[in-house]
């Protein structure tokens, strides 16, 4: 998962890009970059780390121009290294080009192998660089035509921002896996992964880019087109479950209200009679926990406190950091939990290790019973479209029953929302506009070589309580 931001037509473009990336920091914490255009050339700055640490006033002063694009990275393709930090910038026969990508290309390795066999030299491990090579090799006459030809060869998820000396181009893949929105700030156009970035800079939200849409902004204004054949929508449901910021409007719906409805639906499907209170795993579990409490009539309280000096444990790239981060991130409120039968609501269980630590923490703080409720279905399949679940072996639900998972995480009971309930909560009962492959195994770009089953031998081994 990554976050992208672009602005054109503003004298302080790089400063506003910095603010936009700050609002999107939850989407990636490994690296950040900004590329600015003054109409004559591109200037770039990329570093490992957080936006606020990287982009000091002296750095931003070196990025003049009235157009800029920015990127915060969380790696799904390519190692966590400066060479893979984005936006990627090149100079080729067509001029200067910079690209920022949110998503993941499922045929990138196949394309890269073919390009390298034909003499291409790659500077990074990122799947995004494949798009640059395809653009550079296109024989089409205009940049837009080159881009469309290049993208017609790739498969998977992409929301892209491309900056040249004279124009900014935004494009979204035909399935619409990853979000991208358009805004207006006086005479400037703004593009961002989420509306929260527009809110921070006080830009007006205009609309979401449609799946398969390309928007070109240059001195002639804004032009939108649909250069790709229409196909089934595949908006990522996990954006609403976990990744997006609660104050964003995503795929036309309030993320906060959707998560509350997930909690209400979860309470209807997985009630907990006799429980004393509902608590959340902060921060992403809070709206669902509030919804659960509303629907169940069980009081909501704060039983876990999150340290705001620690990042999101799910998107830390190394497993060792993720494990260590749980202890740094959360602490239990003994006065709330002692002697209580507690319903704890979280958004998902991926590997199970975090949930196990949280349940043990609650019991150590005096909770009499811990009933774990999850506002998404069991995550049984890897995501190839931009979320870090690269193999079934890492997914505890791929080969273990709910009862087995409950024993592993040491919860008294465990309950998930159903796939049908998830669809109802997001207003998509037929599930034909969202991608739910991580829950259902039904991929929109083929089976991707994924085995239909996982044996216990290939699955994570469950330790005893």
């Amino acid at each position: 998962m990554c976050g992208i931001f672009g602005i054109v037509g503003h004298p302080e473009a790089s400063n506003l890009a910095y603010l936009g990336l700050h609002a999107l920091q939850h989407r990636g914490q490994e690296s950040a970059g900004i590329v600015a255009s003054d109409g004559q050339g591109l200037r770039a700055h990329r570093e490992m780390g957080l936006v606020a640490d990287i982009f000091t006033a002296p750095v931003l002063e070196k990025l003049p121009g009235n157009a800029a694009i920015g990127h915060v990275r969380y790696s799904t393709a390519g190692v966590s290294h400066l060479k893979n930090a984005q936006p990627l910038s090149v100079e080729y026969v067509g001029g200067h080009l910079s690209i920022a990508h949110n998503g993941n290309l499922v045929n990138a390795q196949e394309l890269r192998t073919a390009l390298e066999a034909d003499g291409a030299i790659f500077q990074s491990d990122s799947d995004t660089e494949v798009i640059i090579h395809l653009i550079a090799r296109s024989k089409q006459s205009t940049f837009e035509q080159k881009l469309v030809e290049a993208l017609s060869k790739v498969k998977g998820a992409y929301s892209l921002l491309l900056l040249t000396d004279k124009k900014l181009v935004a494009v979204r893949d035909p399935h619409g896996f990853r979000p991208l929105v358009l805004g207006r700030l006086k005479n400037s156009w703004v593009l961002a992964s989420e509306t929260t970035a527009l809110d921070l800079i006080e830009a007006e939200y205009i609309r979401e880019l449609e799946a398969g849409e390309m928007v070109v902004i240059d001195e002639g204004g804004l032009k939108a087109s649909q250069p790709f054949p229409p196909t089934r929508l595949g908006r990522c449901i996990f954006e609403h479950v976990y990744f997006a910021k609660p104050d964003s409007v995503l795929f036309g719906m309030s993320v906060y209200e959707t998560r509350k409805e997930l909690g209400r639906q979860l309470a209807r499907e997985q009630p907990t009679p006799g429980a004393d209170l509902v608590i959340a795993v902060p921060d992403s579990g809070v709206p669902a926990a509030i919804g659960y409490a509303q629907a169940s009539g069980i009081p909501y309280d704060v039983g876990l406190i999150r340290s705001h000096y620690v990042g999101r444990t799910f998107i830390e790239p190394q497993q060792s950091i993720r494990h260590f981060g749980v202890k740094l991130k959360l602490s239990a409120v003994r006065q709330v939990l002692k002697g209580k039968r507690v319903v704890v609501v979280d958004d998902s269980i991926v590997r199970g290790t975090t949930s196990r630590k949280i349940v043990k923490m609650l019991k150590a703080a005096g909770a009499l019973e811990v009933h774990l409720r999850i506002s998404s279905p069991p995550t049984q399949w890897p995501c190839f479209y931009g979320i870090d679940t690269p193999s079934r072996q890492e997914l505890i639900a791929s080969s273990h029953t709910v009862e087995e998972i409950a024993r592993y995480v040491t919860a008294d009971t465990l309950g998930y929302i159903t796939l049908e309930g998830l669809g109802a909560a997001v207003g998509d009962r037929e599930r034909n506009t969202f991608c739910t492959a991580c829950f259902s195994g039904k991929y929109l770009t083929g089976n991707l070589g994924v085995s239909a089953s996982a044996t216990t031998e290939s699955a994570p081994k469950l330790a005893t309580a």
Side-chain angles (χ1 to χ4, degrees):
M1 191 62 60
C2 301
I4 58 176
F5 181 92
I7 184 167
V8 62
H10 198 286
E12 295 186 67
S14 60
N15 288 332
L16 289 170
Y18 159 77
L19 293 172
L21 292 182
H22 195 281
L24 298 172
Q25 185 77 84
H26 61 285
R27 298 184 68 87
Q29 300 172 355
E30 293 177 41
S31 65
I34 293 175
V35 176
S37 171
D38 60 2
Q40 304 297 319
L42 304 182
R43 292 180 175 86
H45 188 86
R46 302 176 298 153
E47 281 188 37
M48 305 301 291
L50 301 177
V51 173
D53 297 328
I54 296 169
F55 292 103
T56 59
V59 169
L60 289 169
E61 288 174 4
K62 297 177 182 178
L63 298 172
N66 69 347
I69 62 173
H71 187 273
V72 287
R73 183 169 192 263
Y74 144 67
S75 61
T76 54
V79 297
S80 181
H81 190 280
L82 182 59
K83 68 180 180 180
N84 292 324
Q86 294 192 23
L88 300 178
S89 296
V90 299
E91 186 174 351
Y92 73 114
V93 67
H96 299 101
L97 173 63
S98 186
I99 182 171
H101 175 198
N102 174 207
N104 202 52
L105 307 181
V106 300
N107 66 335
Q109 188 56 54
E110 173 189 339
L111 291 170
R112 179 175 178 135
T113 300
L115 287 164
E116 287 178 329
D118 198 33
I121 298 172
F122 283 76
Q123 301 295 319
S124 74
D125 299 324
S126 172
D127 58 339
T128 312
E129 194 177 352
V130 168
I131 299 173
I132 295 176
H133 282 273
L134 292 173
I135 292 170
R137 287 168 179 256
S138 173
K139 304 301 183 184
Q140 297 293 326
S141 56
T142 70
F143 176 74
E144 290 88 338
Q145 291 170 340
K146 292 176 186 290
L147 175 60
V148 171
E149 183 180 75
L151 294 178
S152 69
K153 297 177 181 179
V154 306
K155 297 178 182 178
Y158 57 83
S159 284
L160 299 173
L161 294 177
L162 302 101
L163 184 65
T164 72
D165 294 337
K166 302 295 184 181
K167 65 184 67 176
L168 188 153
V169 180
V171 61
R172 200 168 166 212
D173 72 74
H175 292 288
F177 285 110
R178 297 287 152 224
L180 192 59
V181 297
L182 176 69
R184 189 79 166 157
L185 181 62
K186 296 182 180 178
N187 296 321
S188 306
W189 291 104
V190 185
L191 292 132
S193 292
E194 296 182 34
T195 59
T196 184
L198 304 182
D199 295 337
L200 179 61
I201 65 169
E202 299 181 344
E204 176 191 3
Y205 170 62
I206 301 299
R207 63 179 178 86
E208 179 182 332
L209 265 68
E210 296 179 13
E213 183 178 8
M214 182 169 72
V215 168
V216 180
I217 308 171
D218 56 21
E219 59 185 11
L222 183 148
K223 299 185 293 291
S225 63
Q226 279 280 359
F228 307 105
T231 188
R232 180 202 185 281
L233 283 177
R235 302 172 296 176
C236 175
I237 195 67
F238 210 66
E239 290 273 1
H240 265 295
V241 170
Y242 172 80
F243 262 107
K245 214 172 172 186
D247 57 315
S248 284
V249 174
L250 188 72
F251 308 140
M253 297 174 288
S254 162
V255 175
Y256 179 76
E257 291 299 329
T258 299
R259 288 180 184 166
K260 280 209 299 184
E261 182 56 32
L262 287 170
R264 287 190 283 263
Q265 181 67 24
L266 179 61
R268 291 188 283 267
E269 294 184 350
Q270 300 289 344
T272 317
D276 299 309
L277 72 156
V278 176
I279 68 168
V281 177
D283 286 327
S284 54
V286 171
I290 293 172
Y292 192 101
Q294 289 175 345
S296 66
I298 303 170
Y300 173 81
D301 210 336
V302 177
L304 287 168
I305 301 295
R306 176 180 176 264
S307 168
H308 289 270
Y309 301 98
V310 179
R312 302 180 82 172
T313 54
F314 179 82
I315 63 174
E316 291 286 2
Q318 298 179 26
Q319 183 76 357
S320 59
I321 296 176
R322 187 181 295 117
H323 283 174
F324 186 55
V326 174
K327 294 182 179 180
L328 289 175
K329 181 180 178 181
L330 298 172
S331 56
V333 184
R334 290 182 175 272
Q335 296 85 345
V336 171
L337 299 167
K338 189 174 181 180
K340 300 293 177 60
R341 292 161 294 185
V342 179
V343 179
V344 56
V345 178
D346 203 356
D347 55 84
S348 59
I349 298 178
V350 179
R351 298 164 180 86
T353 51
T354 298
S355 298
R356 179 180 169 92
K357 292 177 184 295
I358 289 170
V359 173
K360 284 180 170 288
M361 183 189 301
L362 295 171
K363 290 188 173 181
L368 194 63
E369 298 174 4
V370 176
H371 302 275
L372 185 58
R373 297 293 179 265
I374 306 299
S375 61
S376 64
T379 305
Q380 301 185 62
W381 299 86
C383 175
F384 295 95
Y385 308 123
I387 294 177
D388 186 20
T389 52
S391 68
R392 293 202 80 191
Q393 287 82 352
E394 294 187 60
L395 303 174
I396 192 171
S398 70
S399 56
H400 296 88
T401 66
V402 173
E403 291 74 20
E404 288 172 335
I405 299 170
R407 285 197 295 272
Y408 172 66
V409 301
T410 73
D412 291 271
T413 64
L414 169 63
Y416 293 86
I417 197 172
T418 63
L419 194 54
E420 293 72 22
L422 178 67
V426 298
D428 190 41
R429 291 179 182 275
E430 301 300 320
R431 301 194 301 279
N432 58 2
T433 67
F434 283 91
C435 176
T436 60
C438 54
F439 307 128
S440 66
K442 296 178 180 178
Y443 296 98
L444 303 187
T445 56
N447 64 15
L448 306 171
V450 181
S451 171
S453 63
T455 65
T456 51
E457 285 73 30
S458 66
K461 301 300 181 183
L462 301 187
T464 59

